[in-house]
Amino acid sequence: MIHRIMNSKTAPTPKLEPDRYPSRGGLPAQLSKRLDPVVYAAENSPAPIERERVKEYEQQGFLILENLFSDEEVHHFQQELERLRRNDKIAASGETIIEPGSGDIRSIFRIHQISPVFKKLAEDRRLAGLAQYLLDDEVYIHQSRLNYKPGFRGKEFYWHSDFETWHVEDGLPAMRTLSMSITLTENHPANGPLMLIPGSHLHYVVCEGETPANHFKSSLRKQEYGVPSDHCLNQLTEAGGIVTATGKPGSVILFDCNTMHGSNGNITPYPRSNAFFVYNALSNRAVDPFCDQPPRPEYICSRKTIAPVIVAPKENND
Ligand code: 6CS
Ligand code: FE
């Protein structure tokens, strides 16, 4: 389907960009095939992790790397997590997402830009170096955020494929993007850990419905569009089951942009706070959205601030 793009902010010269992953826009809910590789690195290129783990990632669409960061590093991240949460300027920035109902902070975006601690973490070889390998390209941060998922009243993140949103609403052309979620507090079975569906990344889940204007203002609090139909979700879980990603603080959940995931609410007293960095291949930068809405704001989707991540030299991480 050729998708004629008229971005309201640019001159009316329509750009033809093939929409390889059409979704919403009146289409029926269905599973279609992934058209892109999962691991872009050549088979024989030297890998920063064991080869069988690369295979595991390719087959299931995610990997849990336990205890990647030391207790001391985690403590440093947790202090920064708290500092940002208490920062009035950030709370009033209009870029902070508040939990529906409780007024607690749900997410803070652009942490690779507003926090030197998280900027250094985004450039850490253990993360950015691995992203460069898997995507076989230089990488930049498409989006970064802290998800606090506070205790007592932390709300769920309904099932979704990030790529469906990042393609339709942000204009990422191909599945050459991955997320790294660093656990900053204990992610245990009861406090709303990330749930992922193994193998779901190999199907593109076409979603029903349209994209409302300013959708991000509601979707980041409670996502109702760009979510799979019950039937599609059933097909995916019947084939792959559901894995709950638990882990001590300092573990990393690495998942492909198209892996179906979600997380339940958190009514325990224990927050489930994670830092997320979304690494996108420099060759896959956002074009105009594949929907009839203007581009989402810069704090959610890097468009003007695209700079390749300079991966920290090895000695920084010893
Ligand atoms: O819309 C987005 O970009 C965000 N929404 C979710 C639920 N996950 C990815 C991303 O943070
Ligand atoms: Fe997500």
Side-chain angles (χ1 to χ4, degrees):
M1 163 175 148
I2 291 287
H3 189 81
R4 193 168 289 284
I5 292 166
M6 297 284 278
N7 178 337
S8 59
K9 293 215 168 66
T10 53
T13 42
K15 222 170 23 165
L16 288 186
E17 184 89 25
D19 182 355
R20 297 166 66 241
Y21 292 106
S23 180
R24 308 185 210 178
L27 292 170
Q30 57 192 300
L31 295 189
S32 60
K33 254 184 85 45
R34 178 189 186 112
L35 307 172
D36 297 304
V38 178
V39 173
Y40 286 77
E43 277 288 325
N44 55 3
S45 58
I49 56 174
E50 305 82 52
R51 199 140 306 272
E52 54 279 2
R53 301 241 54 203
V54 175
K55 261 276 149 289
E56 185 188 339
Y57 172 72
E58 191 166 41
Q59 285 159 358
Q60 62 173 20
F62 62 91
L63 216 46
I64 302 173
L65 306 167
E66 305 269 1
N67 310 318
L68 208 64
F69 295 96
S70 68
D71 292 351
E72 190 200 347
E73 288 176 305
V74 170
H75 180 66
H76 190 45
F77 302 151
Q78 290 170 336
Q79 284 180 314
E80 184 69 352
L81 178 76
E82 267 317 294
R83 185 185 74 82
L84 296 175
R85 196 172 62 80
R86 283 199 304 271
N87 182 309
D88 296 342
K89 225 165 116 255
I90 290 173
S93 66
E95 296 184 359
T96 299
I97 308 299
I98 303 297
E99 283 285 354
S102 67
D104 294 334
I105 287 191
R106 179 174 170 90
S107 305
I108 292 179
F109 283 85
R110 264 181 348 112
I111 57 173
H112 68 293
Q113 290 173 334
I114 63 175
S115 158
V117 171
F118 289 123
K119 175 179 184 303
K120 185 166 179 279
L121 180 55
E123 295 164 353
D124 192 298
R125 173 168 297 279
R126 291 164 283 184
L127 304 179
L130 179 53
Q132 278 183 338
Y133 166 77
L134 292 169
L135 302 177
D136 193 30
D137 196 350
E138 284 204 275
V139 294
Y140 73 91
I141 302 291
H142 164 66
Q143 179 185 107
S144 69
R145 66 193 185 281
L146 284 172
N147 276 355
Y148 280 82
K149 194 167 292 197
F152 306 108
R153 288 169 291 277
K155 292 282 176 277
E156 80 281 1
F157 285 85
Y158 192 72
W159 292 106
H160 61 282
S161 148
D162 291 336
F163 178 76
E164 195 274 349
T165 293
W166 295 338
H167 175 72
V168 171
E169 300 191 48
D170 293 338
L172 294 197
M175 295 179 182
R176 196 167 185 171
T177 320
L178 56 83
S179 288
M180 298 220 189
S181 167
I182 300 90
T183 56
L184 301 181
T185 61
E186 179 89 31
N187 282 219
H188 51 74
N191 67 345
L194 202 61
M195 300 183 293
L196 306 115
I197 301 177
S200 58
H201 62 309
L202 300 175
H203 307 276
Y204 180 60
V205 181
V206 178
C207 300
E208 290 164 322
E210 296 302 329
T211 303
N214 296 315
H215 181 220
F216 65 95
K217 290 194 174 146
S218 56
S219 69
L220 295 176
R221 302 183 80 199
K222 187 173 173 33
Q223 186 159 354
E224 289 166 337
Y225 292 89
V227 292
S229 67
D230 293 357
H231 178 64
C232 289
L233 194 63
N234 241 330
Q235 285 179 279
L236 295 175
T237 51
E238 259 160 33
I242 295 177
V243 167
T244 300
T246 54
K248 266 175 37 36
S251 303
V252 175
I253 305 150
L254 153 68
F255 57 110
D256 176 81
C257 59
N258 188 46
T259 303
M260 189 61 65
H261 64 285
S263 57
N264 286 319
N266 180 14
I267 56 171
T268 72
Y270 321 114
R272 189 231 67 184
S273 304
N274 291 13
F276 286 79
F277 297 110
V278 181
Y279 294 94
N280 189 30
L282 204 55
S283 55
N284 192 42
R285 68 190 70 192
V287 295
D288 283 346
F290 289 95
C291 66
D292 299 330
Q293 297 296 343
R296 298 202 298 174
E298 190 69 20
Y299 72 93
I300 303 177
C301 164
S302 300
R303 209 173 273 280
K304 300 190 207 67
T305 55
I306 289 180
V309 170
I310 314 287
V311 180
K314 195 101 186 74
E315 56 284 349
N316 279 23
N317 308 324
D318 295 341

